[in-house]
Amino acid sequence: MMKTGKQRFAILLLSVGMVLSGCSGKSASEQVSNGQAEAVHEHGHQTQLSNGDIQEATASIDELPAFLKSQTSELQTIYALSAQVSDVLKYIPCYCGCGDSAGHESNLNCFIDEIQEDGTVVWDDHGTRCGVCLDIAVESAKMSSEGKSLMEIRTAIDEKYSTGYAKPTPTPMPPAES
């Protein structure tokens, strides 16, 4: 049976919820193993940026990048989830300092640099090494699944991370809701 986008999103969100609430009681940042992605340079597929991040293009959001193969299934699930909620994460700032260090404009850029018109996705491995990025993405996806508006999600993330974290990315505000 073919699953709809909403069904796949619900399954991903449930998977992340089970992972994050598992027996260990650890946060997403603690559950992700060491998080150091190894650069596997395949001609034309991966690019290593000057800040150390690796970017890799795949045909669609349904195809995860090869740099995730050596990562935990939990991390792979969060990457898949970030693709499913890309329309939300592009309006959510990241508070890890990646705006300055990597030129990111939103939390989405910690996982996806861009989604091209033909559906090609340029993934970024930054999120494989950053618990703040992971936590913000999962929290945003959870609030979205609960029916929160983009502005409600943005406000909640800004309030939670405004103290004790790095300067936020220069993320545009969500459009006014009709």
Side-chain angles (χ1 to χ4, degrees):
M1 175 167 74
M2 192 86 163
K3 290 184 174 45
T4 66
K6 284 187 177 187
Q7 289 171 322
R8 286 194 324 247
F9 173 75
I11 291 167
L12 280 170
L13 194 56
L14 286 171
S15 298
V16 170
M18 289 188 301
V19 165
L20 296 179
S21 66
C23 301
S24 69
K26 295 180 181 178
S27 71
S29 57
E30 293 169 319
Q31 286 193 14
V32 174
S33 72
N34 296 334
Q36 288 299 326
E38 294 181 20
V40 179
H41 293 284
E42 298 173 358
H43 296 288
H45 295 288
Q46 290 188 349
T47 303
Q48 185 154 11
L49 305 177
S50 61
N51 67 1
D53 286 357
I54 295 170
Q55 291 186 343
E56 179 181 342
T58 64
S60 73
I61 64 169
D62 296 322
E63 181 184 350
L64 292 175
F67 65 71
L68 288 177
K69 288 181 181 175
S70 64
Q71 300 294 332
T72 64
S73 61
E74 292 87 1
L75 191 65
Q76 293 172 22
T77 299
I78 294 171
Y79 262 77
L81 179 65
S82 73
Q84 293 294 319
V85 295
S86 61
D87 58 330
V88 172
L89 297 184
K90 70 182 178 182
Y91 294 110
I92 306 302
C94 188
Y95 283 84
C96 78
C98 62
D100 290 333
S101 68
H104 291 176
E105 296 179 5
S106 71
N107 184 247
L108 178 62
N109 296 142
C110 301
F111 308 96
I112 296 175
D113 182 59
E114 70 174 315
I115 300 174
Q116 299 172 352
E117 285 187 32
D118 68 356
T120 298
V121 177
V122 179
W123 301 89
D124 193 299
D125 81 329
H126 182 86
T128 66
R129 298 179 304 280
C130 183
V132 173
C133 302
L134 297 170
D135 290 342
I136 289 172
V138 170
E139 290 169 30
S140 298
K142 181 177 184 294
M143 286 186 271
S144 177
S145 75
E146 294 168 347
K148 304 278 187 203
S149 71
L150 286 173
M151 190 54 78
E152 289 172 317
I153 298 167
R154 171 72 181 255
T155 300
I157 295 297
D158 284 342
E159 286 176 3
K160 179 173 181 178
Y161 292 91
S162 65
T163 304
Y165 293 89
K167 182 176 88 173
T169 53
T171 307
M173 292 302 286
E177 298 180 44
S178 48

